Amino acid sequence: MSLLTIQNVDFQYPTSQELSLKNINLNLDQNSLNVIVGPSGIGKTTLLNLIAGYDFPTVGKITMTGQPITGANWQRGMVFQDMALFGWLNVDDNILFGPKMRKMNLQLAKDRLKKLLFETGLAEYRRTPVYELSGGLKQRVALARAFINEPPLLMLDESFSALDNATRNDMHDTLIKMWRNVQNCVLAITHDIDEAIFLGQKIIVINQRPGTIIDVIDNPYFMMKAETLPRDNQYFSFRRHLMALIVMA
């Protein structure tokens, strides 16, 4: 069932003479994991900002469960590349910040917190100020803070790009575990082809200028670990095709 619908969207920044995005059309389903790939500066983050309600289309419309998006709210969560955590607060207080702002039932928030601390391996750090944590642990806090609200749509803007390979792989597993529990829609930006192939049920390719969606690919290798990928001609052909779409002029 479609959760988010984007219809004929163009976007131009007020200070620009050119469109950043043109003729964007996309449907995102509930309980799905989707990845956006494309060259740098093509408008991927701009698209997330439009979906989040931070900016608004110049032309076209974006609806969620049939209702126009008129601004940011908890139903569309965002995990930023820099994580945007409150460094002076401890892990618990960072994760609970959103529920407190929403005035969520206290017991419900505590129950969700306990579950998320277990899922993310943060239980032993719950009283630790965030500034004392490693990059990987901070990213776990950012994910938990987003998931505690159980938003129907969660967006990640290159959230794992600064992590080393081992930590990134751990974060992939953590994200999928949390997504399976909440069964929401996740939309993630990445520049990493292997990350896109592992995380994306659908891989959305944005290219050309102004940026537009040139393909939406059903991914047969979704959630397949590197050691279980077939590594045959069919897989390498799929990977080359995806790379060619990204680097095309």
Side-chain angles (χ1 to χ4, degrees), residues 50-71:
L50 292 174
I51 295 170
Y54 303 149
D55 288 310
F56 301 98
T58 305
V59 174
K61 64 179 180 178
I62 304 177
T63 58
M64 185 167 169
T65 59
Q67 301 301 311
I69 292 175
T70 57

Side-chain angles (χ1 to χ4, degrees), residues 2-128:
S2 182
L3 174 73
L4 184 94
T5 302
I6 304 175
Q7 294 177 289
N8 305 318
V9 163
D10 294 354
F11 179 75
Q12 181 174 334
Y13 286 101
T15 57
S16 175
Q17 300 298 313
E18 299 179 350
L19 290 174
S20 296
L21 295 170
K22 182 176 177 60
N23 196 32
I24 300 293
N25 289 278
L26 182 66
N27 287 301
L28 296 180
D29 293 333
Q30 298 175 1
N31 190 20
S32 65
L33 221 169
N34 313 272
V35 172
I36 298 176
V37 295
S40 296
I42 207 68
K44 301 184 297 296
T45 297
T46 298
L47 180 58
L48 290 197
N49 288 339
L50 292 174
I51 295 170
Y54 303 149
D55 288 310
F56 301 98
T58 305
V59 174
K61 64 179 180 178
I62 304 177
T63 58
M64 185 167 169
T65 59
Q67 301 301 311
I69 292 175
T70 57
N73 66 36
W74 71 269
Q75 294 182 325
R76 293 177 301 282
M78 180 83 86
V79 180
F80 299 95
Q81 186 174 0
D82 64 1
M83 294 172 277
L85 298 173
F86 303 115
W88 63 92
L89 297 180
N90 65 29
V91 168
D92 272 14
D93 289 340
N94 264 277
I95 297 172
L96 288 170
F97 182 81
K100 287 178 180 177
M101 292 299 99
R102 289 179 54 203
K103 296 181 171 55
M104 182 187 292
N105 175 274
L106 182 59
Q107 189 57 53
L108 175 60
K110 287 183 176 180
D111 289 345
R112 289 184 181 179
L113 173 65
K114 182 178 179 180
K115 182 179 179 181
L116 286 167
L117 289 171
F118 173 76
E119 288 177 349
T120 56
L122 288 169
E124 65 182 287
Y125 302 100
R126 59 186 308 173
R127 305 301 182 195
T128 304

Side-chain angles (χ1 to χ4, degrees), residues 6 24 73 80 92 94 96 98 102 118 123 125 133 144 159-160 162 167 175 177 194 198 201 205 210 220-221 249:
I6 304 175
I24 300 293
N73 66 36
F80 299 95
D92 272 14
N94 264 277
L96 288 170
R102 289 179 54 203
F118 173 76
Y125 302 100
L133 300 179
S159 301
F160 308 142
T167 305
L175 172 62
K177 182 194 306 181
D194 295 316
F198 180 70
Q201 285 177 307
V205 184
Y221 304 104

